[in-house]
């Protein structure tokens, strides 16, 4: 049993930028693997540390268990070996999450990203979440990354739970999409000795996250502006904060458009404009209205990205 | 195609009281069908209109697709033919919900209860939800009941969406668990001509819901105090409001304890105290703490139910 | 000292319907007492139990301390002696609320309505609120009515605080504008022995509130449709629930329009349409947009009130 | 009329660190000016750019209009001329805010800090808020600083309103206490050409705010750890980010304790521990419980500040 030991040197190094890739669908609403392959080929040329497969932008709640695994399998086959594949394996029950984590590992994932269960949110306190993640991390053949995304789940993984879980040998980090920079800084401060690594969950606060010690980001916008997000990473790592700030500014509005404001539907539209396969989402997600489309276009073009 | 016609006389009559039954699990976390059968035998002797299977209290997000169908199948076999079986068939995607509704119908469900998809809540506006429910209702072999449960989903099915959907021939009603009595009254007022039927989603506001025209209730508390909830129904239907009020008062605290305050974990505990099989929940749901247990006990005993 | 005794027979009888009257302003933004008088003359002919002066719809946060008292003084002079004048005396600090309550009593108020302080909402727990209301009730020359209006304050007076405070001799009731009917029923159930009286804070759930034991209502809509709200009261008291329901239905949409949806600006506009002086609000409250105006008109005319 | 011109060179330079000072009260709940003076003498020796008087931590909602002005007058008299006095002049109505701003200017304030009105929050949209601030800024003899503090008001000043208002000659900046770093960066990006200056409203995200271009902070914690907050400012301005980060880390927990977690009551307690006069708050604010006190102590001592 690996719980609670402190040999953090063995923790997988997850520093870097990851796009949480979108899942292309064909007209019949099935996964279009051909289009996925073509996107992957393009992503392979960008200096990403790896790809996140089945994050929120992968529409994983709309995929069957089989599809979830198959997509990860496909990604692993198509991208270079040195790129990490981080697979979202979160389900509502602990039992299902353990099973899915095992399958993701078999499919070639280097790590699993486990979203907070949220349906019974009133009962998802620190005690329940520590229990859940410990069970998953004890069983998972590959390292676990915690995933807090209150915009979707209505639930923020409590700081005290993160601190406890950071001590688990098989829990290597956190993707925090909430964007509360004070919380992010506090978590980094209190978990450093464990080799715990925090990734910003959005390009909107990537510079700020680096400024307080984050080691990378899982950024929806990187599906569209991958080179630019990696450039922002490089500027931060090099301590070129002035230039970083100017680039950060120009990424905020397009980032907000493809996340908080319009979500994955807009992300896929912007991918189309940028030479990737985006396409439609599975219903009930609806296409953007005309007005939304114009706003999206403006949010990219006003910053010079279209 | 049955959309938008007005032949509401054909709409299934769903008036009455339903317990949204709990799913008993064995120590190994698998469904304990033997215990389920024993509960069903007891429920068959209470004047329920039927049972709701896979409501929030059925822990449906913790069941596999196969388990969900199998439980419904088992319930249909074990309860009298004149009792309705209403099966929760909601999934996040429209495609999966259609498929699950078909399977539930094959398993013997008389109607399906379809919760609002909620993961991409920012995009789940009236347009998306009307699209979703119309597609499901067009395809479902059995009538559809809308299900709004903001306590779990963080999303209230908008009134305007309900009004539009009430016109669909295969959509017969709404289970509203939000408890906003003004909203409930408005929906009833505006949908009466469609033969649309509103069920209170909790015993806490059952009398008030009857007072504004609701026709029944899906009440977690009915798993424990089934006769009493049915008695409250009878008092309301008979216009014996004074007596109804006194009974309603005594049901509020135990109801709150097994819903908002402590949830399904408490419901299952109270079932144990009352001669039913409740047992543990699937993790990550945790057992009640000692303090919670005492509070739960007090909430029942102070009103004379223990 | 009157705290904690149980001689509830002395508690002021506040049963009935009250409009929380609006404050008319002249073009120069000062209180227009002439217009106020004319409204009062009309209200005197409606079977209200009394008037609430300086509720949320009185724009009390926009009045100076002197204006607040002067308006109450004027109302007391102009309406019949048998009508109660309930004056809003709530301020953020306990000290100021005590002082204002004394002034309101001197100005002729029969009781004071005390809103929950809310600026430091994180610290306004039961302990603080019990302390606040006890101090005010100990000092106030006239009875105190608690006032919970989460739509404005972002704070619901906790049930446990209400229960404790209901035992105070000089606290006679609660105006609850939150509309959670389960909570309202529970409060009535648990405070009956104290002679504590609960008033619905809105016409939208007036019937439902009567059905669970409320004794009246403070209803913004009564500023416009006073006779109709009083008629609904009479139908409920007479046990004519079917007729009550039909009338209740027709009041919901206009009520929502002048409360949750568009607020006091719309209330004043609807007053103008109905022969009362409404006029503009003090800035920063802005007039309705054209689209809002049309919607407001529709919400009244579709139910036959315009 | 000064609205909408672009001569931003004249905008008052507000760069730097400010404590939003607490108001000491005597046992009789009146302002204790002697204690205030002693605090001011100590603050004068710390390299603050100035003081904010009547921010949320000044308990301004608990002061009378006369007290508010008198405290500002006293502060102006007692601190060095080169320190800015920024006076909170926000009231709910535009009329009252204009009047209070004029009085604050007469009392010697160098600028006024105007909180968003919030009681009628549903109607406080961009249109209303732009109208409010424009009227205040047009009339105020001294420059206006916008103030968004959603933790108290439940309202975030919309970005679009900030952008419009930044063009006003007499509006020089924003104190943002919400802590959404993406929003802060966006506002800075879009208002730079106007000479608009953004101050972080809390020490918890001060480094991150500097990293995206903020020019200072109004930090409750500076009432207690004034030198340390100024040191963090200096490290950020000097580009010594590594050292800044280490200091920032150690300020987060004490900062959270005196803001979000326990509020001004805790701030005043920590001031006592650090040689300042804090004392009690005006009721209904209650003293900390024993458990809260221990937690507060721990939040300071664990970082080496006690």
């Amino acid at each position: 049993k690996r719980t609670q030991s402190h040999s953090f040197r063995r923790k997988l190094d997850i520093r870097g930028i990851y796009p949480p890739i979108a899942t292309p669908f064909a007209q019949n609403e099935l996964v279009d693997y051909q289009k996925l392959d073509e996107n992957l080929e393009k992503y392979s040329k960008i200096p990403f540390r790896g790809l996140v497969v089945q994050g929120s932008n992968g529409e994983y709640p709309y995929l069957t268990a089989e599809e979830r695994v198959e997509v990860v399998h496909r990604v692993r086959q198509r991208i270079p070996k040195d790129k990490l594949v981080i697979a979202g394996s979160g389900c509502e029950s602990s039992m299902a999450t353990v099973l899915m984590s095992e399958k993701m590992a078999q499919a070639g994932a280097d790590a699993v990203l486990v979203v907070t269960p949220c349906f019974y949110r009133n009962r998802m306190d620190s005690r329940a979440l520590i229990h859940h993640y410990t069970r998953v991390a004890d069983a998972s053949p590959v390292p676990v990354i915690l995933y807090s995304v209150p915009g979707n789940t209505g639930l923020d993984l409590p700081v005290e739970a993160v601190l406890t879980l950071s001590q688990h040998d098989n829990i290597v980090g956190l993707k925090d999409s909430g964007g509360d920079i004070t919380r992010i800084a506090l978590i980094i401060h209190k978990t450093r000795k464990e080799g715990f690594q925090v990734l910003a969950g959005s390009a909107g606060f990537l510079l700020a996250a680096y400024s307080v010690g984050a080691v990378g980001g899982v950024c929806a916008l990187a599906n569209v502006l991958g080179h630019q997000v990696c450039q922002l990473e490089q500027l931060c790592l090099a301590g070129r904060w002035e230039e970083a700030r100017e680039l950060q500014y120009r990424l905020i509005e397009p980032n907000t458009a493809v996340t908080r404001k319009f979500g994955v539907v807009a992300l896929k539209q912007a991918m189309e404009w940028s030479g990737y396969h985006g396409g439609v989402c599975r219903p009930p997600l609806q296409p953007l209205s005309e007005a939304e489309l114009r706003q999206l276009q403006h949010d990219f073009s006003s910053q010079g990205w279209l």
Side-chain angles (χ1 to χ4, degrees), chain A:
Chain A
K1 186 128 172 205
R2 293 165 303 186
T3 315
Q4 306 281 336
S5 97
H6 292 271
S7 47
F8 73 83
R9 281 195 194 86
R10 286 182 290 150
K11 284 195 174 176
L12 178 69
D13 180 345
I14 57 172
R15 288 176 293 176
I17 300 297
Y18 306 76
I21 63 168
T23 308
F25 296 108
Q27 287 301 329
N28 62 3
E29 297 185 19
L30 296 182
V31 178
D32 189 326
Y33 288 99
Q34 180 61 40
K35 288 185 173 171
L36 175 62
D37 287 352
E38 293 174 26
N39 284 345
L40 294 173
E41 200 179 325
K42 286 178 183 139
Y43 289 145
S44 295
K45 294 168 188 156
I46 300 176
F48 295 135
R49 176 72 182 93
L51 304 184
V52 165
V53 191
Q54 322 286 313
S56 306
N57 291 295
E59 294 173 67
Y60 77 86
Y62 291 176
L63 302 186
T64 65
E66 293 72 26
E67 288 174 325
R68 289 179 68 174
V69 177
E70 179 56 26
V71 169
V72 168
H73 188 250
R74 187 82 167 207
V75 171
R76 181 66 285 174
Q77 289 181 308
R78 302 294 160 131
I79 68 163
K81 288 231 168 68
D82 63 317
K83 303 275 191 190
L84 294 180
V85 171
I86 299 179
S89 67
C91 303
E92 282 289 324
S93 80
S94 301
M95 183 188 273
T97 307
V98 164
L99 190 64
M100 183 62 81
S101 299
E102 291 169 348
K103 286 184 180 165
M104 289 307 196
Q106 286 165 12
D110 297 293
V112 287
L113 180 69
V114 180
V115 70
T116 51
C118 64
F119 192 77
Y120 300 101
R121 70 194 69 222
N122 290 343
R123 300 298 294 173
M124 290 301 104
D125 55 10
S126 280
R127 184 169 63 119
L129 291 165
I130 288 171
H131 191 278
H132 178 72
Y133 281 108
T134 300
R135 178 162 162 184
V136 172
D138 281 349
S140 173
V142 294
V144 168
I145 301 169
L146 311 175
Y147 181 17
S148 185
V149 58
N152 289 116
T153 62
L155 193 76
D156 223 354
L157 184 56
V159 170
E160 61 171 354
V162 176
L163 302 194
T164 298
L165 292 167
S166 73
Q167 299 168 32
H168 194 293
D169 253 21
N170 205 30
I171 296 178
V172 299
L174 164 71
K175 172 187 176 186
D176 194 308
S177 297
D180 178 343
I181 200 70
T182 307
R183 165 190 157 90
I184 288 173
L186 179 61
I187 288 172
I188 293 169
H189 172 38
K190 306 286 275 193
T191 62
R192 280 188 296 174
K193 65 180 188 306
E194 309 298 342
F196 191 77
Q197 300 154 82
V198 176
L199 301 175
S202 172
F205 52 90
L206 186 58
L207 180 153
Y210 271 109
S211 81
V212 298
V215 299
V218 180
C219 305
L221 190 64
N223 279 297
V224 182
L225 300 175
H227 281 294
Q228 290 83 348
V229 177
C230 289
Q231 190 189 352
L232 178 51
E233 172 202 25
Q234 290 309 314
L235 291 170
C236 291
L237 293 178
R240 294 159 63 183
W241 296 103
E242 299 276 323
E243 291 159 89
R245 190 185 300 163
E246 294 302 320
L247 179 53
Q248 173 68 83
Y249 286 156
R250 293 175 60 209
L251 298 180
I252 293 177
E253 282 166 297
N255 179 71
T256 299
V258 301
T259 56
R260 283 191 220 175
K261 197 154 68 171
F262 302 129
V264 62
V265 186
L267 176 66
K268 285 181 145 182
Q269 177 61 64
M271 287 173 67
E272 291 283 339
W273 289 335
S274 307
Y276 296 96
H277 294 294
V280 295
C281 291
R282 274 196 175 162
L285 282 173
Q286 300 292 302
L288 297 177
S289 70
E290 281 300 315
E292 291 171 334
L293 205 60
R294 275 193 304 275
Q295 182 60 55
L296 174 65
Q297 201 157 19
H298 180 262
D299 287 338
F300 275 79
S301 63
S302 69
Q303 302 303 317
W305 305 122
L306 268 188

